[in-house]
Amino acid sequence: MKNVAILGSTGSIGTQTLDVIRHNNDLKLVAISAGSNITLLEEQIREFHPELVAVWSESKAKELRVAIADVQPACKVVSGMDGLLEVSTISSSDILVTAVVGMIGIRPTIAAIKAGKDIGLANKETLVTAGHIIMPLAKEYNVSILPVDSEHSAIFQCLNGERENSIHKILLTASGGPFRGKTRKDLELVTLDQALRHPNWSMGKKITIDSATMVNKGLEVIEAKWLFGVEPSNIEVVVQPQSVIHSMVEFEDGAVMAQLGTPDMRLPIQYALYYPKRVFLDGRRLNFATLGHIEFEAPDMDTFLGLKYAYEAIEAGGSMPTVLNAANELAVAKFLNKKVRFLEIYDMIRFCMDQHKLIPNPGVEDILETEQWVYETIESRWIS
Ligand code: NDP
Ligand code: MG
């Protein structure tokens, strides 16, 4: 039996993690958390009977306590950052799936590692901003960081049995998002609804916008650097519009290993939960005869500046990836609230990266202060 805790159980990755648990008797849910969606939390509590639930807002936590008063055995409801930390470190869990969105995952992830929990890592913003802290810490506490992001799971799968061999190059695949092929002029006019229409994946809103700007692929380059110890100059992004090849690894002898499959996040989630074992997963399978062909192209980094800025941020190092990420988080939130236009997401990132005074080896406090600085910088420049 493996006991699972989830940060962000009401989101896209969180609900798909629960679906994997639902179909496997040897996985047990012990703790969950969400921001404010207590309606879905209540359903999840009644179905899975976790011991502990964290809700970000204390007033929503109060409402949830009343709503589940009849549930037996009783489920404890906690709130705020202390609540997230309690879910992350609960003594009964073996693995924490970090399916929360944004840098808010940093402190809970660090706490879970220190409590000896393996991490099923979906929350890429944590690794982008604090990878230099997380990876050595995981080594020190002898815990596994198991990637859930589909590309990184693919790379992880390609590396099975290759411990002796060094990676020559990572080929990180990208769908290109809903605006592939568009010019900068076209992007001036795109709407929120168009940006939310991803061609292949159904995901949370923030990552869907990140896919449209290609900031997502930029964050993934940084994520890959930390997970696999490969320099960004050896990480090449390849656009593969059908999202059939989830990523590839090229070895020293020129051999390229790839992992393929239909776009279904339950596969990488399940692989992280069962690693190194594979278990049955229902769902669509690849049919190469109907697929016919797989296309490839180079990314357009001059139009989709997200990728270009990410390479620049990781090259600068230190606190710069935090600036990229925090500026993007706030810019996307504003775009989702229709306060700014699509291309202003790039403008906000650029402005903050230009203004920032780099901190070379930031600790957690420096990272959180940099996040705050980014928010203040954007708020004072973009009055909306
Ligand atoms: P969603 O927006 O669908 O879900 C986010 C989850 O985080 C929800 O459960 C939400 O709760 C919770 N949450 C938000 N704010 C807070 C807060 N302040 N405190 C506690 N919980 C909070 O996101 P996704 O599932 O799409 O993405 C999650 C992470 O996984 C991201 O880092 C993303 O980049 C990554 N990822 C996602 C993929 C996907 O297919 N979706 C693929 C690869 C990576 P509530 O519902 O109450 O708001
Ligand atoms: Mg991905």
Side-chain angles (χ1 to χ4, degrees):
M1 181 67 72
K2 189 174 265 187
N3 289 340
V4 183
I6 307 174
L7 289 180
S9 65
T10 54
S12 163
I13 294 289
T15 51
Q16 292 180 87
T17 305
L18 288 177
D19 198 46
V20 170
I21 296 176
R22 186 178 285 123
H23 287 98
N24 291 283
N25 294 333
D26 51 356
L27 296 175
K28 184 177 177 336
L29 184 72
V30 293
I32 50 178
S33 79
S36 59
N37 187 351
I38 54 168
T39 310
L40 187 51
L41 275 181
E42 181 181 344
E43 276 176 35
Q44 295 177 346
I45 293 165
R46 292 186 186 279
E47 180 180 356
F48 293 94
H49 291 279
E51 299 162 40
L52 180 68
V53 175
V55 190
W56 181 249
S57 112
E58 172 53 26
S59 64
K60 291 279 178 188
K62 270 199 189 109
E63 276 181 51
L64 183 62
R65 282 184 200 109
V66 174
I68 61 159
D70 63 314
V71 172
Q72 284 302 330
C75 171
K76 183 176 168 192
V77 180
V78 290
S79 65
M81 180 51 77
D82 286 346
L84 293 186
L85 294 173
E86 205 171 325
V87 164
S88 308
T89 57
I90 186 168
S91 62
S92 54
S93 73
D94 301 304
I95 183 166
L96 175 71
V97 176
T98 60
V100 63
V101 60
M103 291 174 67
I104 195 163
I106 296 175
R107 290 187 53 208
T109 306
I110 289 177
I113 294 170
K114 287 185 174 168
K117 313 296 181 190
D118 286 335
I119 307 290
L121 190 134
N123 175 226
K124 64 188 82 180
E125 295 90 350
T126 283
L127 215 51
V128 165
T129 53
H132 61 292
I133 298 171
I134 304 278
M135 295 313 288
L137 199 67
K139 204 166 176 200
E140 185 186 338
Y141 284 84
N142 199 23
V143 306
S144 303
I145 306 284
L146 301 151
V148 166
D149 209 346
S150 58
E151 295 77 2
H152 305 76
S153 175
I155 296 161
F156 189 61
Q157 292 176 57
C158 292
L159 291 174
N160 262 334
E162 303 284 357
R163 196 168 297 189
E164 308 277 306
N165 299 316
S166 58
I167 300 171
H168 186 66
K169 201 193 238 181
I170 284 178
L171 297 153
L172 192 73
T173 52
S175 70
F179 301 144
R180 183 174 62 89
K182 291 211 183 297
T183 63
R184 193 164 161 95
K185 186 121 197 63
D186 298 331
L187 293 184
E188 279 173 15
L189 301 171
V190 297
T191 64
L192 175 59
D193 285 348
Q194 289 169 328
L196 283 173
R197 247 175 264 144
H198 195 280
N200 305 331
W201 298 94
S202 160
M203 308 179 285
K205 283 186 177 169
K206 192 259 177 184
I207 187 176
T208 304
I209 301 304
D210 287 351
S211 301
T213 56
M214 285 193 83
V215 166
N216 181 52
K217 210 46 57 181
L219 300 179
E220 290 184 355
V221 168
I222 304 176
E223 187 184 6
K225 173 198 156 82
W226 292 119
L227 283 171
F228 306 110
V230 173
E231 284 311 311
S233 53
N234 294 326
I235 303 174
E236 184 182 328
V237 173
V238 181
V239 175
Q240 195 279 281
Q242 295 87 3
S243 299
V244 165
I245 300 180
H246 297 311
S247 276
M248 306 178 263
V249 176
E250 183 185 315
F251 292 95
E252 297 292 348
D253 59 356
V256 177
M257 303 291 283
Q259 187 255 332
L260 285 70
T262 54
D264 183 347
M265 284 308 295
R266 293 175 309 156
L267 192 155
I269 292 168
Q270 181 170 290
Y271 191 74
L273 291 176
Y274 278 101
Y275 175 77
K277 205 172 134 196
R278 291 186 187 274
V279 297
F280 179 76
L281 179 66
D282 68 346
R284 285 189 310 119
R285 301 292 161 122
L286 277 184
N287 179 328
F288 287 92
T290 50
L291 182 65
H293 65 282
I294 304 176
E295 294 166 281
F296 300 98
E297 60 190 51
D300 176 358
M301 292 220 246
D302 295 322
T303 303
F304 298 94
L305 295 168
L307 191 50
K308 190 179 197 162
Y309 292 167
Y311 274 108
E312 197 185 308
I314 193 64
E315 178 71 29
S319 50
M320 201 56 95
T322 295
V323 174
L324 167 91
N325 181 74
N328 180 59
E329 283 191 28
L330 185 58
V332 171
K334 285 181 182 292
F335 179 66
L336 287 171
N337 285 324
K338 299 192 174 173
K339 298 279 187 212
V340 299
R341 286 173 291 113
F342 186 78
L343 286 176
E344 281 180 281
I345 298 173
Y346 297 140
D347 297 343
M348 289 182 177
I349 298 171
R350 182 73 267 163
F351 183 73
C352 292
M353 284 176 68
D354 287 343
Q355 297 289 314
H356 184 60
K357 233 173 119 238
L358 192 91
I359 306 169
N361 187 21
V364 174
E365 287 310 315
D366 299 318
I367 291 170
L368 299 178
E369 275 169 27
T370 301
E371 178 189 33
Q372 205 47 46
W373 172 84
V374 165
Y375 286 0
E376 285 160 16
T377 304
I378 291 179
E379 294 300 356
S380 62
R381 177 80 162 47
W382 273 265
I383 298 145
S384 51

